[in-house]
Amino acid sequence: MPASPSTARAINDRLALRLLQQEGPLTAGQLKQLTGLSRPTVADLVERLTAAGLISVVGESGEQRRGPNARLYGIVADRAQLAALDVRTEGVTVVVADLLGAELARASVPIADDAGTGPAVEQAVALVERAAKEAGAERLHTVGIGAPGLIDPATGELRDSSGLPEWHRRLVAALQERLPARVIVENETNLAALAEQREGAARDRDTFVLLWLGHGTGAAVVLDGRLRRGASGGTGEIGFLPVPGTTTLPSATDCEGGFHSLAGAAAIAELAAGYGLEAAESPGEPRAAALVRVAVAAASSAGTDRFLYGLADRFLSALADRLAVGAASVVAVLDPGCVVLGGEVGQAGGEALAARVGERLARMSPLPAEVRAGSLGGGAVLRGALLTARESAQDDLFAPHPR
């Protein structure tokens, strides 16, 4: 059945707004060309979106003929302000941005292990409020949160998980109470995969697995362009995967003995120590990432001391052996065709580590799978949270408006 006039207008409006978001300011003539709509239809939607306060004239094109078609229309970026949070066990980072994703303010706060639940929640909420004030945002429209743990697929809420601070779950409720904003929470690894797909190493992939290598381990599964969460929200809990090379088996409450014991930051640091490698810690990232970065530099430099070169080469080979075990398990079950080594360690290893893992994976699995280094590192979580908040806000603001 043909769409009703109101439905057709809504579809046209959303199409025009998405084009303005992706391409930047456009003239009415350019909108006509890109959408395939008639000139009167484009003029009608421009008038409608301008009246709704969603777009405005932001300049003029370089066309010689002046007139309505020479005006450049752009999305009103300050129509809504958004916040994105990266919630870790040791602290919180927040970014406040406009409707187009331009950063307006950024702030972080460490939260001590012995901080009580109430004080920890108050520190995090106060951080968001200060950042919003610094950005000049009187009201946040949407807040996207990336946190470790499982998200209940039925409720969209962070589930109670052993080993994670109670203040994580309480923070979501506190933000919903204190802020007149929509609050969305998602698993941190899933958000990292979203960011790598939209802006990073997986931009050309509809199907891939992101192997998160940071303080802990995890995986995110994207199949046919869709993020897969599983029946209980636990898709990608690869830290609990039983693997060879550990001294015990994981349990329902502890991933010790699983893949985490081979590829978590502490395990990688211990492996590096066995080869005599040292590296200074960098703020905001696990020491394992610094060790991997030093090893990659030593193994790729012709002028490196031969002894150091040998240590670095053997360490990277041993690390690649470990990572290939987890990657091969994922490939055997999902056949994703591509594995992205994400997180701080994946970024530090770069193409050098990815190539080593890829070589081993090719020998272990009959299924072809390209191994790539993530390009966004630990920042992928925050970027994914912002993308999620932006899309949610745009879905709301770009909804049909009465004429």
Side-chain angles (χ1 to χ4, degrees), residues 128-220:
V128 177
E129 293 175 333
R130 288 197 304 272
K133 183 177 181 181
E134 179 185 340
E138 296 182 3
R139 179 185 182 277
L140 292 173
H141 184 284
T142 306
V143 177
I145 303 173
L150 305 183
I151 307 299
D152 190 319
T155 65
E157 297 177 352
L158 190 64
R159 291 172 50 185
D160 187 13
S161 302
S162 60
L164 295 176
E166 172 63 22
W167 65 266
H168 282 193
R169 295 183 69 243
R170 291 278 300 276
L171 173 60
V172 176
L175 288 170
Q176 290 171 329
E177 293 171 2
R178 293 265 288 268
L179 301 176
R182 177 183 302 169
V183 179
I184 304 169
V185 61
E186 178 59 272
N187 172 266
E188 58 179 357
T189 307
N190 287 346
L191 290 178
L194 172 65
E196 291 286 3
Q197 185 183 35
R198 301 289 177 80
E199 301 178 349
R203 278 174 289 185
D204 61 336
R205 300 291 309 191
D206 288 330
T207 296
F208 71 99
V209 168
L210 180 128
L211 193 61
W212 180 260
L213 303 170
H215 287 285
T217 58

Side-chain angles (χ1 to χ4, degrees), residues 243-325:
V243 292
T246 62
T247 58
T248 184
L249 289 173
S251 70
T253 58
D254 188 356
C255 60
E256 187 66 30
F259 182 64
H260 175 83
S261 295
L262 293 183
I268 293 175
E270 183 178 355
L271 179 67
Y275 288 95
L277 295 176
E278 298 180 355
E281 292 190 49
S282 299
E285 73 170 12
R287 182 165 173 267
L291 289 164
V292 170
R293 190 176 296 111
V294 165
V296 169
S300 60
S301 175
T304 301
D305 175 88
R306 298 301 299 176
F307 180 70
L308 178 58
Y309 170 86
L311 294 176
D313 181 69
R314 290 195 295 275
F315 162 69
L316 290 175
S317 293
L319 178 57
D321 288 340
R322 293 184 175 195
L323 299 182
V325 169

Side-chain angles (χ1 to χ4, degrees), residues 20 47 67 87 93 142 158 330 347 365 390:
L20 289 168
E47 180 184 353
V87 179
T93 298
T142 306
L158 190 64
V330 169
Q347 184 184 42
S365 173
R390 189 179 75 182

